[in-house]
Amino acid sequence: MFREMRRFKQEISKSECIEVLTNSKRGVLSLIGDNGYPYGVPLDHWYCEEDNRLYFHCAKVGHKMDAIKACDKASYCTYDEGYRKEGEWALNIKSVIIFGRVKLVDDEERARKICTHLVQKFTDDKEYLEKELKTAFSRVQCIELIPEHMTGKLVNES
């Protein structure tokens, strides 16, 4: 059902894909938006190795929610910060693309756990976390991306 990578010599392993998903903080979630137009939105994510799912948080209403309710198919793209080989100008970047299905997280305890992990990707400030959970949690909708296909590759910019 999903295409194989055309540039297979640049393909990275599943464990390298998971490393990128775990360490990168942001990516673009792409959905089928209004009138069939693609809708890509930058989001923070948390990859949970326990259940091999990506989690996001957002508002409870808006374009993203409308798109998810209309069609649960999605893709997500993220990439690492890259590195340069000594003496070279070009970046070497690992990217990951996931195709899967998105679902709303309705369980409040799970949503609280997801929000906690998302905050912890950016800060270890416990006071900030508690303040956000107290003041903003009621307005947050968490969503999960259940992967059906994942590819990753290493690209040299040159």
Coordinates of all heavy atoms in Angstrom, one line a residue, residues 63-144:
H63 N -9.2 24.3 12.4 CA -9.0 23.7 11.1 C -8.5 22.2 11.3 O -9.0 21.3 10.7 CB -8.0 24.5 10.3 CG -7.9 24.1 8.8 ND1 -7.3 24.9 7.9 CD2 -8.4 23.0 8.1 CE1 -7.4 24.3 6.7 NE2 -8.0 23.1 6.8
K64 N -7.6 22.1 12.2 CA -7.0 20.8 12.5 C -8.0 19.8 13.0 O -8.1 18.6 12.5 CB -5.8 20.9 13.5 CG -5.1 19.7 13.7 CD -3.9 19.8 14.7 CE -3.3 21.0 15.2 NZ -3.8 22.2 15.6
M65 N -8.8 20.2 13.9 CA -9.9 19.3 14.5 C -10.9 19.0 13.4 O -11.3 17.8 13.3 CB -10.6 20.0 15.6 CG -9.8 20.1 16.9 SD -9.4 18.5 17.6 CE -7.8 18.1 17.0
D66 N -11.3 19.9 12.6 CA -12.2 19.7 11.5 C -11.7 18.7 10.5 O -12.4 17.8 10.1 CB -12.6 21.0 10.8 CG -13.4 22.0 11.6 OD1 -13.9 21.5 12.7 OD2 -13.4 23.1 11.3
A67 N -10.4 18.8 10.2 CA -9.8 17.9 9.2 C -9.7 16.5 9.8 O -10.0 15.5 9.1 CB -8.4 18.4 8.9
I68 N -9.3 16.3 11.1 CA -9.2 15.0 11.7 C -10.6 14.4 11.8 O -10.7 13.2 11.5 CB -8.6 15.1 13.1 CG1 -7.1 15.5 13.0 CG2 -8.8 13.9 13.9 CD1 -6.5 15.9 14.3
K69 N -11.6 15.1 12.1 CA -13.0 14.5 12.1 C -13.5 14.1 10.8 O -14.2 13.1 10.7 CB -13.9 15.5 12.8 CG -13.7 15.7 14.3 CD -14.5 16.8 14.9 CE -14.1 17.0 16.3 NZ -14.7 18.2 16.9
A70 N -13.0 14.8 9.7 CA -13.4 14.4 8.4 C -12.7 13.2 7.8 O -13.2 12.4 7.0 CB -13.3 15.6 7.4
C71 N -11.4 13.1 8.2 CA -10.6 12.0 7.6 C -9.4 11.8 8.6 O -8.7 12.7 8.9 CB -10.0 12.4 6.3 SG -9.0 11.1 5.5
D72 N -9.3 10.5 9.0 CA -8.3 10.2 10.0 C -6.9 9.9 9.5 O -5.9 9.7 10.2 CB -8.7 9.1 10.9 CG -8.8 7.7 10.2 OD1 -8.8 7.7 9.0 OD2 -8.9 6.7 10.9
K73 N -6.7 10.0 8.2 CA -5.4 9.7 7.5 C -4.5 10.9 7.7 O -5.0 12.1 7.5 CB -5.5 9.4 6.1 CG -6.2 8.0 5.9 CD -6.3 7.7 4.4 CE -7.0 6.4 4.2 NZ -7.2 6.1 2.8
A74 N -3.2 10.7 8.0 CA -2.3 11.8 8.2 C -0.9 11.3 7.9 O -0.6 10.1 7.8 CB -2.4 12.2 9.7
S75 N 0.0 12.3 7.7 CA 1.4 12.0 7.7 C 2.1 13.0 8.6 O 1.6 14.1 8.8 CB 2.0 12.0 6.3 OG 2.0 13.4 5.7
Y76 N 3.3 12.7 9.0 CA 4.0 13.5 9.9 C 5.5 13.5 9.5 O 6.0 12.4 9.2 CB 3.9 13.1 11.4 CG 4.5 14.1 12.3 CD1 4.0 15.3 12.6 CD2 5.7 13.7 13.0 CE1 4.6 16.2 13.5 CE2 6.3 14.6 13.9 CZ 5.7 15.8 14.2 OH 6.3 16.7 15.1
C77 N 6.1 14.6 9.4 CA 7.5 14.7 9.0 C 8.3 15.5 10.0 O 7.9 16.5 10.5 CB 7.6 15.4 7.6 SG 9.3 15.7 7.1
T78 N 9.4 15.0 10.4 CA 10.3 15.6 11.3 C 11.8 15.3 10.9 O 12.0 14.4 10.1 CB 10.1 15.2 12.8 OG1 10.9 16.1 13.7 CG2 10.4 13.8 13.1
Y79 N 12.7 16.1 11.4 CA 14.1 15.9 11.1 C 15.0 16.4 12.2 O 14.6 17.2 13.1 CB 14.5 16.5 9.8 CG 14.2 18.0 9.6 CD1 15.1 18.9 10.0 CD2 12.9 18.4 9.2 CE1 14.8 20.3 9.9 CE2 12.6 19.7 9.0 CZ 13.6 20.7 9.4 OH 13.2 22.0 9.3
D80 N 16.2 15.8 12.3 CA 17.2 16.2 13.3 C 17.9 17.5 12.9 O 17.6 18.1 11.9 CB 18.1 15.1 13.7 CG 19.1 14.8 12.6 OD1 19.2 15.5 11.5 OD2 19.8 13.8 12.7
E81 N 18.8 18.0 13.8 CA 19.5 19.2 13.6 C 20.6 19.1 12.6 O 21.2 20.0 12.1 CB 20.0 19.8 14.9 CG 18.9 20.2 15.8 CD 19.4 20.9 17.1 OE1 20.5 21.3 17.1 OE2 18.6 20.9 18.0
G82 N 21.0 17.8 12.3 CA 22.1 17.6 11.3 C 23.4 17.7 11.9 O 23.6 18.2 13.0
Y83 N 24.4 17.4 11.1 CA 25.8 17.5 11.5 C 26.6 17.8 10.2 O 26.2 17.5 9.1 CB 26.3 16.3 12.2 CG 26.3 15.0 11.4 CD1 27.5 14.7 10.6 CD2 25.2 14.2 11.3 CE1 27.5 13.5 9.8 CE2 25.2 13.1 10.4 CZ 26.3 12.7 9.7 OH 26.3 11.6 8.9
R84 N 27.8 18.4 10.4 CA 28.7 18.6 9.3 C 30.0 17.7 9.5 O 30.5 17.6 10.7 CB 29.2 20.1 9.3 CG 28.1 21.0 8.8 CD 28.6 22.4 8.6 NE 27.6 23.2 7.9 CZ 26.6 23.8 8.6 NH1 26.5 23.7 9.9 NH2 25.8 24.6 7.9
K85 N 30.4 17.1 8.5 CA 31.7 16.4 8.5 C 32.8 17.4 8.5 O 32.6 18.5 7.9 CB 31.8 15.4 7.3 CG 30.8 14.3 7.4 CD 31.0 13.4 6.2 CE 29.9 12.3 6.2 NZ 30.0 11.5 5.0
E86 N 33.9 17.1 9.2 CA 35.0 18.1 9.3 C 35.4 18.6 8.0 O 35.7 17.8 7.1 CB 36.1 17.5 10.1 CG 37.2 18.5 10.5 CD 38.2 17.9 11.4 OE1 37.9 16.9 12.2 OE2 39.4 18.3 11.3
G87 N 35.5 19.9 7.8 CA 36.0 20.5 6.6 C 34.9 20.6 5.5 O 35.2 21.0 4.4
E88 N 33.7 20.2 5.8 CA 32.6 20.3 4.8 C 31.6 21.3 5.2 O 31.3 21.5 6.4 CB 32.0 18.9 4.6 CG 32.9 17.9 3.9 CD 32.2 16.6 3.6 OE1 31.0 16.5 3.7 OE2 32.9 15.6 3.3
W89 N 30.9 21.9 4.2 CA 29.9 22.9 4.5 C 28.5 22.3 4.6 O 27.6 22.8 5.3 CB 29.9 24.0 3.5 CG 29.6 23.5 2.1 CD1 30.4 23.2 1.1 CD2 28.2 23.4 1.5 NE1 29.8 22.7 0.0 CE2 28.4 22.9 0.2 CE3 27.0 23.6 2.0 CZ2 27.3 22.6 -0.6 CZ3 25.9 23.3 1.2 CH2 26.1 22.8 -0.1
A90 N 28.3 21.2 3.9 CA 27.0 20.6 3.8 C 26.5 19.9 5.1 O 27.3 19.3 5.8 CB 27.0 19.6 2.7
L91 N 25.3 20.1 5.4 CA 24.7 19.4 6.6 C 24.3 18.0 6.1 O 23.8 17.8 5.0 CB 23.4 20.1 7.0 CG 23.6 21.2 8.1 CD1 22.3 21.8 8.4 CD2 24.2 20.6 9.4
N92 N 24.4 17.1 7.0 CA 23.9 15.7 6.9 C 22.7 15.6 7.8 O 22.8 15.8 9.0 CB 24.9 14.7 7.3 CG 26.1 14.8 6.3 OD1 26.1 14.2 5.2 ND2 27.1 15.5 6.7
I93 N 21.5 15.4 7.3 CA 20.2 15.5 8.1 C 19.5 14.2 8.0 O 19.3 13.6 6.9 CB 19.3 16.7 7.5 CG1 20.1 18.0 7.7 CG2 18.0 16.7 8.3 CD1 19.3 19.1 7.0
K94 N 19.0 13.7 9.1 CA 18.2 12.5 9.1 C 16.7 13.0 9.3 O 16.4 13.8 10.1 CB 18.5 11.6 10.3 CG 19.8 10.9 10.2 CD 20.1 10.1 11.4 CE 21.5 9.5 11.4 NZ 21.8 8.8 12.6
S95 N 15.9 12.5 8.4 CA 14.5 12.9 8.4 C 13.6 11.6 8.5 O 14.0 10.5 8.1 CB 14.1 13.7 7.2 OG 14.2 12.9 6.0
V96 N 12.4 11.8 9.1 CA 11.5 10.7 9.2 C 10.1 11.1 8.8 O 9.7 12.2 9.0 CB 11.4 10.2 10.7 CG1 10.4 9.1 10.9 CG2 12.8 9.8 11.2
I97 N 9.5 10.2 8.0 CA 8.1 10.5 7.6 C 7.3 9.3 8.1 O 7.6 8.1 7.8 CB 7.9 10.7 6.1 CG1 8.7 11.9 5.6 CG2 6.5 10.7 5.7 CD1 8.7 12.1 4.2
I98 N 6.1 9.6 8.7 CA 5.2 8.6 9.2 C 3.9 8.8 8.5 O 3.4 9.9 8.4 CB 5.0 8.6 10.7 CG1 6.3 8.3 11.4 CG2 3.9 7.7 11.2 CD1 6.3 8.4 12.9
F99 N 3.3 7.7 8.0 CA 1.9 7.7 7.6 C 1.1 6.9 8.6 O 1.6 5.8 9.1 CB 1.8 7.0 6.2 CG 2.5 7.7 5.1 CD1 3.8 7.5 4.8 CD2 1.8 8.7 4.4 CE1 4.5 8.2 3.8 CE2 2.4 9.4 3.3 CZ 3.8 9.1 3.0
G100 N -0.1 7.4 8.9 CA -0.9 6.7 9.9 C -2.2 7.3 10.0 O -2.7 8.1 9.2
R101 N -2.9 6.9 11.1 CA -4.2 7.4 11.5 C -4.1 8.2 12.8 O -3.4 7.8 13.7 CB -5.1 6.2 11.7 CG -5.2 5.2 10.6 CD -6.0 5.7 9.4 NE -6.0 4.7 8.3 CZ -7.0 4.6 7.5 NH1 -8.1 5.3 7.6 NH2 -6.9 3.7 6.5
V102 N -4.9 9.3 12.8 CA -4.9 10.1 14.0 C -6.3 9.9 14.7 O -7.3 9.7 14.1 CB -4.8 11.6 13.7 CG1 -3.3 12.0 13.4 CG2 -5.7 12.1 12.5
K103 N -6.2 9.9 16.0 CA -7.3 9.8 16.9 C -7.3 10.8 18.0 O -6.2 11.2 18.4 CB -7.4 8.4 17.5 CG -7.7 7.3 16.6 CD -7.7 5.9 17.3 CE -8.0 5.8 18.7 NZ -8.0 4.5 19.3
L104 N -8.4 11.2 18.4 CA -8.5 12.1 19.6 C -8.3 11.3 20.8 O -8.8 10.2 20.9 CB -9.9 12.8 19.6 CG -10.3 13.6 18.4 CD1 -11.6 14.3 18.6 CD2 -9.2 14.7 18.1
V105 N -7.6 11.9 21.8 CA -7.4 11.2 23.1 C -8.4 11.8 24.0 O -8.4 13.0 24.4 CB -6.0 11.5 23.7 CG1 -5.8 10.9 25.1 CG2 -4.9 10.9 22.7
D106 N -9.4 10.9 24.4 CA -10.5 11.3 25.3 C -10.2 11.1 26.8 O -10.9 11.7 27.6 CB -11.8 10.6 24.8 CG -12.2 11.1 23.4 OD1 -12.0 12.2 23.1 OD2 -12.7 10.2 22.7
D107 N -9.3 10.2 27.1 CA -9.0 9.9 28.5 C -8.2 11.0 29.1 O -7.1 11.3 28.7 CB -8.3 8.5 28.5 CG -8.0 8.1 30.0 OD1 -8.9 7.6 30.6 OD2 -6.8 8.4 30.4
E108 N -8.8 11.6 30.2 CA -8.1 12.7 30.8 C -6.8 12.4 31.4 O -5.8 13.2 31.3 CB -9.1 13.3 31.9 CG -8.5 14.6 32.5 CD -9.5 15.3 33.4 OE1 -10.7 15.2 33.2 OE2 -9.0 15.8 34.4
E109 N -6.7 11.2 32.0 CA -5.4 10.8 32.6 C -4.3 10.7 31.6 O -3.2 11.1 31.8 CB -5.6 9.5 33.4 CG -4.3 9.1 34.2 CD -4.6 7.9 35.1 OE1 -5.7 7.8 35.7 OE2 -3.7 7.0 35.1
R110 N -4.6 10.0 30.5 CA -3.7 9.9 29.3 C -3.3 11.3 28.8 O -2.1 11.5 28.5 CB -4.3 9.1 28.2 CG -3.9 7.6 28.2 CD -4.5 6.9 27.1 NE -3.6 7.0 25.9 CZ -4.1 6.9 24.7 NH1 -5.4 6.8 24.4 NH2 -3.3 7.0 23.6
A111 N -4.3 12.1 28.6 CA -4.0 13.5 28.1 C -3.1 14.2 29.0 O -2.2 14.9 28.6 CB -5.3 14.2 27.9
R112 N -3.3 14.1 30.3 CA -2.4 14.8 31.3 C -0.9 14.2 31.2 O 0.0 15.0 31.2 CB -2.9 14.6 32.7 CG -2.2 15.4 33.8 CD -2.9 15.3 35.1 NE -4.2 15.9 35.1 CZ -4.5 17.2 35.3 NH1 -3.5 18.0 35.6 NH2 -5.7 17.6 35.3
K113 N -0.8 12.9 31.0 CA 0.5 12.3 30.8 C 1.2 12.9 29.5 O 2.3 13.2 29.5 CB 0.4 10.8 30.8 CG 1.7 10.1 30.5 CD 1.4 8.6 30.4 CE 2.7 7.8 30.0 NZ 2.5 6.4 29.8
I114 N 0.4 12.9 28.5 CA 0.9 13.4 27.2 C 1.4 14.9 27.3 O 2.5 15.2 26.9 CB -0.2 13.3 26.1 CG1 -0.4 11.8 25.8 CG2 0.3 14.1 24.8 CD1 -1.7 11.6 25.0
C115 N 0.6 15.7 27.9 CA 0.9 17.1 28.1 C 2.2 17.2 29.0 O 3.0 18.1 28.7 CB -0.2 17.9 28.7 SG -1.6 18.2 27.6
T116 N 2.3 16.4 30.0 CA 3.5 16.4 30.9 C 4.7 16.1 30.1 O 5.7 16.8 30.2 CB 3.3 15.5 32.1 OG1 2.1 15.9 32.8 CG2 4.5 15.4 32.9
H117 N 4.7 15.1 29.3 CA 5.8 14.7 28.5 C 6.2 15.8 27.4 O 7.4 16.0 27.2 CB 5.6 13.3 27.8 CG 5.8 12.2 28.7 ND1 7.0 11.7 29.0 CD2 4.9 11.4 29.3 CE1 6.9 10.7 29.8 NE2 5.6 10.4 30.0
L118 N 5.2 16.4 26.9 CA 5.4 17.5 25.9 C 6.1 18.6 26.6 O 7.1 19.2 26.0 CB 4.1 17.9 25.2 CG 3.6 17.0 24.2 CD1 2.1 17.3 23.9 CD2 4.4 17.1 22.9
V119 N 5.7 19.0 27.7 CA 6.4 20.1 28.4 C 7.8 19.7 28.8 O 8.7 20.5 28.7 CB 5.6 20.5 29.7 CG1 6.4 21.4 30.6 CG2 4.3 21.2 29.3
Q120 N 8.0 18.5 29.2 CA 9.3 18.0 29.7 C 10.3 18.0 28.5 O 11.5 17.9 28.8 CB 9.2 16.7 30.4 CG 8.5 16.8 31.7 CD 8.2 15.4 32.4 OE1 8.2 14.4 31.7 NE2 8.1 15.5 33.7
K121 N 9.8 18.0 27.3 CA 10.8 18.1 26.1 C 11.4 19.4 26.1 O 12.5 19.6 25.4 CB 10.1 17.8 24.8 CG 9.8 16.3 24.6 CD 9.3 16.0 23.2 CE 10.5 15.9 22.3 NZ 10.3 15.2 21.1
F122 N 10.8 20.4 26.7 CA 11.3 21.8 26.6 C 11.8 22.4 27.9 O 12.7 23.3 27.8 CB 10.2 22.7 26.0 CG 9.8 22.4 24.6 CD1 8.7 21.5 24.4 CD2 10.4 22.9 23.6 CE1 8.4 21.2 23.1 CE2 10.1 22.6 22.3 CZ 9.1 21.7 22.0
T123 N 11.4 21.9 29.0 CA 11.8 22.4 30.3 C 11.6 21.4 31.4 O 10.7 20.6 31.3 CB 11.1 23.7 30.6 OG1 11.6 24.2 31.9 CG2 9.6 23.6 30.8
D124 N 12.4 21.5 32.4 CA 12.2 20.7 33.6 C 11.7 21.5 34.7 O 11.7 21.1 35.9 CB 13.5 20.0 34.0 CG 14.7 21.0 34.3 OD1 14.5 22.2 34.2 OD2 15.8 20.5 34.6
D125 N 11.1 22.7 34.4 CA 10.5 23.6 35.4 C 9.2 23.0 35.9 O 8.2 23.2 35.2 CB 10.4 25.0 34.8 CG 9.9 26.0 35.7 OD1 9.2 25.7 36.7 OD2 10.1 27.2 35.4
K126 N 9.2 22.4 37.0 CA 8.0 21.8 37.6 C 6.9 22.8 37.9 O 5.7 22.5 37.7 CB 8.3 20.9 38.8 CG 9.1 19.7 38.5 CD 9.4 18.9 39.7 CE 10.2 17.7 39.5 NZ 10.7 17.3 38.3
E127 N 7.2 24.0 38.3 CA 6.3 25.0 38.6 C 5.5 25.4 37.3 O 4.3 25.6 37.3 CB 6.9 26.2 39.3 CG 7.3 26.0 40.7 CD 8.0 27.2 41.3 OE1 7.6 28.4 40.9 OE2 8.8 27.0 42.2
Y128 N 6.3 25.6 36.2 CA 5.7 25.9 35.0 C 4.7 24.8 34.5 O 3.6 25.1 34.1 CB 6.8 26.1 33.9 CG 6.2 26.3 32.5 CD1 5.7 27.6 32.1 CD2 6.1 25.3 31.6 CE1 5.1 27.8 30.9 CE2 5.5 25.5 30.3 CZ 5.1 26.7 30.0 OH 4.5 26.9 28.8
L129 N 5.1 23.6 34.6 CA 4.2 22.4 34.3 C 2.9 22.5 35.1 O 1.9 22.4 34.5 CB 5.0 21.1 34.5 CG 4.1 19.9 34.3 CD1 3.6 19.7 33.0 CD2 4.9 18.6 34.7
E130 N 3.0 22.6 36.4 CA 1.8 22.6 37.2 C 0.9 23.8 36.9 O -0.3 23.7 36.8 CB 2.2 22.7 38.7 CG 2.8 21.4 39.2 CD 2.0 20.1 38.9 OE1 0.8 20.2 39.1 OE2 2.6 19.1 38.4
K131 N 1.5 25.0 36.6 CA 0.7 26.2 36.2 C 0.0 25.9 34.9 O -1.2 26.2 34.8 CB 1.7 27.4 36.1 CG 0.9 28.6 35.7 CD 1.9 29.8 35.6 CE 1.7 30.7 34.4 NZ 1.8 30.2 33.1
E132 N 0.7 25.3 34.0 CA 0.0 25.1 32.7 C -1.1 24.0 32.8 O -2.1 24.2 32.2 CB 1.1 24.6 31.6 CG 2.0 25.7 31.1 CD 1.2 26.8 30.4 OE1 0.6 26.5 29.4 OE2 1.3 27.9 30.8
L133 N -0.8 23.0 33.5 CA -1.9 22.0 33.7 C -3.1 22.6 34.4 O -4.2 22.2 34.1 CB -1.3 20.8 34.5 CG -0.3 19.9 33.8 CD1 0.3 18.8 34.7 CD2 -1.0 19.2 32.5
K134 N -2.8 23.5 35.4 CA -3.9 24.1 36.1 C -4.7 25.1 35.3 O -5.9 25.1 35.3 CB -3.4 24.7 37.4 CG -4.4 25.3 38.3 CD -3.8 25.9 39.6 CE -4.9 26.4 40.5 NZ -4.3 27.0 41.7
T135 N -4.0 25.9 34.5 CA -4.7 27.0 33.8 C -5.1 26.7 32.4 O -6.1 27.3 31.9 CB -3.8 28.3 33.8 OG1 -2.6 28.0 33.1 CG2 -3.5 28.7 35.2
A136 N -4.4 25.8 31.7 CA -4.7 25.6 30.3 C -5.2 24.2 29.9 O -5.7 24.0 28.8 CB -3.4 25.9 29.5
F137 N -5.0 23.2 30.8 CA -5.3 21.8 30.5 C -6.8 21.7 30.0 O -7.1 20.9 29.1 CB -5.0 20.9 31.7 CG -5.2 19.5 31.4 CD1 -4.4 18.8 30.5 CD2 -6.3 18.8 31.9 CE1 -4.6 17.4 30.2 CE2 -6.5 17.5 31.7 CZ -5.7 16.8 30.8
S138 N -7.7 22.4 30.6 CA -9.1 22.2 30.2 C -9.4 22.6 28.8 O -10.4 22.2 28.2 CB -10.0 23.0 31.2 OG -9.7 24.4 31.0
R139 N -8.5 23.4 28.2 CA -8.7 23.9 26.8 C -7.9 23.1 25.8 O -7.9 23.4 24.6 CB -8.3 25.4 26.7 CG -9.1 26.3 27.6 CD -8.8 27.8 27.3 NE -7.3 28.1 27.3 CZ -6.6 28.4 28.4 NH1 -7.2 28.4 29.6 NH2 -5.4 28.7 28.3
V140 N -7.2 22.0 26.3 CA -6.3 21.3 25.4 C -7.0 20.0 24.9 O -7.7 19.3 25.6 CB -5.0 20.9 26.2 CG1 -4.2 19.9 25.4 CG2 -4.2 22.1 26.5
Q141 N -6.7 19.7 23.6 CA -7.1 18.4 23.0 C -5.8 17.7 22.7 O -5.0 18.2 21.9 CB -8.0 18.6 21.8 CG -8.3 17.3 21.1 CD -9.2 16.4 21.9 OE1 -10.3 16.8 22.3 NE2 -8.7 15.2 22.2
C142 N -5.6 16.5 23.2 CA -4.5 15.7 22.7 C -4.9 14.8 21.6 O -6.1 14.3 21.6 CB -4.0 14.9 23.9 SG -3.1 15.9 25.2
I143 N -4.0 14.5 20.7 CA -4.3 13.6 19.6 C -3.1 12.7 19.5 O -2.0 13.0 19.9 CB -4.5 14.4 18.2 CG1 -3.3 15.3 17.9 CG2 -5.8 15.1 18.3 CD1 -3.5 16.0 16.6
E144 N -3.4 11.5 19.0 CA -2.3 10.5 18.8 C -2.3 10.1 17.3 O -3.3 10.1 16.6 CB -2.6 9.3 19.6 CG -3.8 8.4 19.3 CD -4.0 7.3 20.2 OE1 -3.0 6.6 20.6 OE2 -5.1 7.0 20.6

